[in-house]
């Protein structure tokens, strides 16, 4: 009888201790930080401002991005080496993982959360997977009008179960309607401009805008009126000016719509370009510290935080959208790669790769609150992205 | 300590400290486009197998002057010729060696 109680006690003890880390909790204040050199991620808690767990074995994360399931439980991590990993934020482990191509640049989740699309460099194209099982649903080779297979960039999700993406070598934008998941209906737009290198979609999912590396300007597609085709905007902002060498490609997906404006990094210039969203005309060119990489608006759209390309990447500047002026310059340390606002925008989390730290700033006083040790941190992705189009 | 050889491919004037910085630059910053493992990305693969017997001088010119029409920038304003050569040697040897 005593032995029975002992065994029972042991069971209760094991149950209690074994489940401690799995106590009921929600994921709304969680996120992932990419540790790019070690192929790992850390789960962070932005309420307690601490790291909860490190998850290893995610492959080459030199250019990685993350999207979240609708319930904010699962993170889908896209790795450079074509790895697609589904990470369980609650059980703090890899749920599923596949190698889906030779070389990948990022991905998106469909509006209904059912499909994961991955944009590939090698072989160029988009592959679409069942979000639960990671089974292949559709394979879309990106063969442009030039007959060549192209790298795919700027892949985003759009309303009505569509994915929009650009073909880097073929100068095209494609819209894939996934209403019939295993039979994508693709609309192709040709000659959109030279070498689209990245893209963003506005928060309501209406405007898809691709940046062009091979010429000045951007390519704009209005998804409410797709029959009007792709328009070139800002085609003359840098005309006649000598381009500076670009040591890191600017990123457009950082949600840079603020107030009446869209703010985008100039390619090869030390400027942030301000576009009036009512007519897509250039309003202003804001001189900044160096070449911008991310131009990210705060959730209240009052401020825009900008980081910069190598070798001037120890700096962040903050633009006040009301005055369109740079109002602050921060020096977080060597190689500031990414910034992420907390969901309602009271803090900014900043990865400083070569300091092996993620710094947490008050978004308004811009004072550092704390910092966390991370190994070569790059992208920071919070779970609230689950409820935003195009992130 | 400086050494000059007839081949012009000596990298002995690179200090250990600078070598570590250059290696970091190759992995992290070149890695942004070419992949951390240098197996390729926006830019082509830079592994010894991919480089094969391509002439080193042509590669040196690419590093120093970039490739017009592509995102490959000229590094000559950030790297000396000697440093660029050191990087070329590293790439042909393989960063894992």
């Amino acid at each position: 009888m005593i032995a029975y109680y002992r065994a029972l006690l042991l069971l209760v003890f094991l149950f209690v201790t074994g489940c401690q880390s799995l106590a009921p909790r929600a994921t709304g204040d969680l996120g992932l930080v990419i540790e790019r050199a070690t192929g790992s991620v850390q789960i962070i808690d932005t309420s307690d401002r601490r790291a909860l767990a490190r998850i290893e074995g995610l492959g080459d994360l030199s250019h990685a991005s993350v999207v979240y399931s609708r319930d904010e439980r699962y993170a889908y991590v896209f790795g450079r080496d074509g790895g697609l990993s589904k990470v369980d934020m609650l059980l703090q482990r890899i749920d599923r993982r596949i190698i889906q191509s030779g070389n990948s640049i990022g991905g998106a989740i469909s509006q209904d959360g059912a499909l994961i699309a991955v944009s590939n460099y090698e072989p160029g194209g988009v592959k679409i997977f069942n979000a639960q099982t990671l089974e292949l649903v559709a394979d879309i080779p990106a063969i442009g009008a030039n007959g060549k297979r192209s790298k795919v960039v700027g892949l985003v999700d759009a309303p009505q179960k569509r994915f929009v993406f650009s073909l880097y070598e073929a100068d095209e934008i494609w819209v894939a309607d996934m209403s019939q998941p295993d039979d994508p209906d693709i609309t192709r737009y040709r000659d959109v401009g030279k070498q689209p290198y990245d893209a963003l979609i506005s928060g309501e999912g209406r405007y898809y805008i691709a940046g062009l590396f091979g010429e000045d300007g951007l390519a704009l597609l209005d998804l409410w009126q797709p029959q009007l085709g792709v328009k070139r905007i800002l085609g003359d902002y840098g005309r006649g000016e000598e381009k500076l060498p670009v040591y890191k490609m600017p990123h457009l997906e950082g949600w840079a719509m603020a107030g009446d404006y869209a703010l985008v990094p100039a390619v090869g210039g030390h400027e942030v370009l301000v576009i009036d969203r009512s007519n897509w005309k250039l309003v202003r060119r804001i001189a900044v510290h160096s070449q911008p990489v991310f131009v990210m608006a705060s959730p209240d759209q009052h401020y825009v935080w900008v980081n910069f390309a190598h070798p001037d990447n120890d700096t962040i500047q903050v633009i006040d959208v009301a005055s369109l002026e740079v109002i602050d310059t921060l020096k977080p340390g060597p190689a500031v790669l990414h910034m992420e606002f907390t969901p309602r925008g009271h803090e900014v989390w900043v990865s400083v790769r070569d300091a092996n730290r993620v710094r947490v700033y008050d978004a308004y006083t811009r004072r550092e609150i704390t910092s966390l040790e991370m190994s070569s941190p790059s992208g920071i992705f919070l779970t609230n992205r689950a409820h935003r189009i195009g992130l | 300590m400086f050494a000059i050889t007839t081949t012009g491919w000596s990298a002995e004037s690179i200090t250990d400290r600078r070598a570590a910085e250059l290696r970091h630059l190759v992995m992290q910053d070149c890695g942004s486009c070419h992949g951390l493992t240098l197996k390729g990305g926006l830019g082509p693969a830079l592994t010894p197998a991919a480089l094969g017997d391509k002439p080193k001088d042509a590669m040196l010119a690419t590093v120093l002057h970039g490739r017009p029409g592509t995102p490959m920038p000229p590094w000559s304003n950030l790297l000396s010729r000697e440093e660029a050569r050191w990087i070329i040697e590293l790439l042909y040897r393989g960063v894992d060696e």
Side-chain angles (χ1 to χ4, degrees):
Chain A
M1 199 63 177
I2 287 169
Y4 170 79
Y5 279 115
R6 264 197 198 145
L8 193 69
L9 208 66
L10 186 69
L11 270 177
V12 169
F13 175 77
L14 284 175
F15 182 76
V16 170
T17 54
C19 293
Q20 244 168 15
S21 62
L22 308 181
R25 73 153 296 157
T27 57
D29 54 358
L30 300 185
L32 287 183
V33 178
I34 305 290
E35 295 182 309
R36 72 197 299 267
T38 45
S40 52
V41 294
Q42 289 216 42
I43 298 180
I44 50 169
D45 175 340
T46 56
S47 293
D48 290 347
R49 299 189 196 97
R50 66 191 182 103
L52 302 180
R54 172 181 276 131
I55 297 164
E56 292 172 327
L58 288 110
D60 181 349
L61 298 184
S62 59
H63 192 291
S65 66
V66 175
V67 297
Y68 287 98
S69 62
R70 293 182 60 238
D71 61 4
E72 299 186 1
R73 173 165 178 180
Y74 297 103
Y76 298 89
V77 182
F78 307 97
R80 163 74 85 192
D81 53 4
L84 168 58
S85 311
K86 183 182 177 192
V87 171
D88 188 327
M89 301 291 283
L90 288 176
L91 297 183
Q92 304 176 349
R93 65 180 190 206
I94 296 172
D95 180 70
R96 275 163 212 273
R97 174 171 161 79
I98 56 169
I99 300 289
Q100 57 81 40
S101 80
N103 199 306
S104 157
I105 191 65
I109 186 164
S110 60
Q111 185 179 30
D112 62 357
L115 301 172
I116 301 290
V118 195
S119 65
N120 289 316
Y121 277 179
E122 184 53 52
V126 172
K127 280 192 183 172
I128 295 173
F129 299 90
N130 178 307
Q132 277 186 9
T133 62
L134 300 191
E135 277 162 17
L136 184 68
V137 173
D139 186 357
I140 307 172
I143 299 167
N146 58 7
K148 285 197 300 191
R149 198 153 172 153
S150 178
K151 296 187 186 77
V152 170
V153 297
L155 169 71
V156 301
D157 56 291
Q160 295 176 268
K161 214 158 178 171
R162 288 175 292 177
F163 292 109
V164 190
F165 49 94
S166 300
L167 280 60
Y168 176 73
E169 285 94 352
D171 304 340
E172 297 186 17
I173 292 173
W174 289 13
V175 180
D177 182 333
M178 300 301 296
S179 324
Q180 308 281 336
D182 52 359
D183 184 21
D185 180 21
I186 294 168
T187 310
R188 300 170 169 85
Y189 299 90
R190 287 176 183 161
D191 300 320
V192 302
K194 280 183 203 149
Q195 292 171 300
Y197 64 86
D198 193 18
L200 64 83
I201 189 164
S202 54
E204 80 287 75
R206 176 172 179 180
Y207 297 107
Y208 179 82
I209 303 175
L212 302 173
F213 186 78
E215 61 181 274
D216 291 328
L218 304 165
L220 172 92
L221 176 63
D222 180 353
L223 292 166
W224 288 5
Q225 305 176 81
Q227 71 282 2
L228 298 182
V230 173
K231 257 196 333 196
R232 209 78 56 87
I233 58 173
L234 256 60
D236 51 5
Y237 78 83
R239 191 133 297 165
E241 293 171 25
E242 197 178 336
K243 286 267 172 64
L244 297 166
V246 177
Y247 291 103
K248 178 147 177 68
M249 284 299 239
H251 285 54
L252 292 178
E253 75 270 30
W255 182 230
M257 301 286 182
D260 300 331
Y261 307 118
L263 288 88
V264 295
V267 180
H270 293 188
E271 291 176 338
V272 169
L273 306 175
V274 185
I275 313 167
D276 182 337
R277 291 180 64 185
S278 66
N279 57 16
W280 302 105
K281 299 273 191 242
L282 187 67
V283 174
R284 191 176 297 192
R285 299 159 64 159
I286 304 173
V288 289
H289 171 71
S290 185
Q291 293 178 13
V293 176
F294 281 100
V295 177
M296 299 183 98
S298 58
D300 63 9
Q301 304 192 359
H302 192 163
Y303 300 101
V304 168
W305 288 46
V306 185
N307 73 333
F308 300 98
H310 179 90
D312 303 317
N313 55 3
D314 64 342
T315 299
I316 285 174
Q317 287 191 313
V318 181
I319 295 168
D320 178 5
V321 175
S323 64
L324 294 181
E325 279 170 8
V326 173
I327 55 159
D328 209 349
T329 300
L330 311 177
K331 295 276 179 191
V336 176
L337 293 195
H338 201 226
M339 305 161 288
E340 178 90 332
F341 288 88
T342 49
R344 288 205 287 170
H346 69 304
E347 287 174 3
V348 189
W349 287 53
V350 174
S351 59
V352 192
R353 184 191 70 200
D354 292 350
N356 291 311
R357 297 211 87 81
V358 166
R359 300 192 190 285
V360 181
Y361 290 91
D362 181 297
Y364 301 104
T365 65
R366 294 181 286 278
R367 285 199 197 101
E368 185 176 328
I369 299 165
T370 187
S371 74
L372 284 71
E373 209 175 309
M374 300 268 168
S375 171
S376 287
S378 57
I380 303 172
F381 303 90
L382 301 185
T383 52
N384 65 308
R385 287 172 171 254
H387 306 295
R388 292 161 69 182
I389 289 169
L391 282 185
Chain B
M1 185 64 180
F2 288 85
I4 296 168
T5 66
T6 48
T7 64
W9 281 96
S10 163
E12 289 174 33
S13 63
I14 306 288
T15 63
D16 287 352
R17 187 191 163 145
R18 186 60 182 152
E21 287 170 3
L22 291 176
R23 182 181 260 283
H24 184 78
L25 177 90
V26 169
M27 307 291 281
Q28 297 286 352
D29 295 295
C30 302
S32 291
C33 278
H34 297 279
L36 269 178
T37 53
L38 303 177
K39 286 181 186 155
L42 188 63
L46 299 177
T47 54
L51 293 171
D53 52 7
K54 287 199 183 90
K56 287 181 181 174
D57 285 325
M59 289 293 294
L60 180 67
T62 299
V63 170
L64 288 173
H65 308 300
R67 279 245 172 111
T70 79
M72 178 64 188
W75 290 84
S76 55
N77 45 357
L78 300 175
L79 296 173
S80 72
R81 200 175 178 80
E82 190 77 329
E83 289 169 338
R85 278 184 173 151
W86 187 92
I87 288 173
I88 298 291
E89 289 293 350
L90 178 73
L91 294 176
Y92 277 81
R93 206 165 59 238
V95 290
D96 301 328
E97 294 299 305

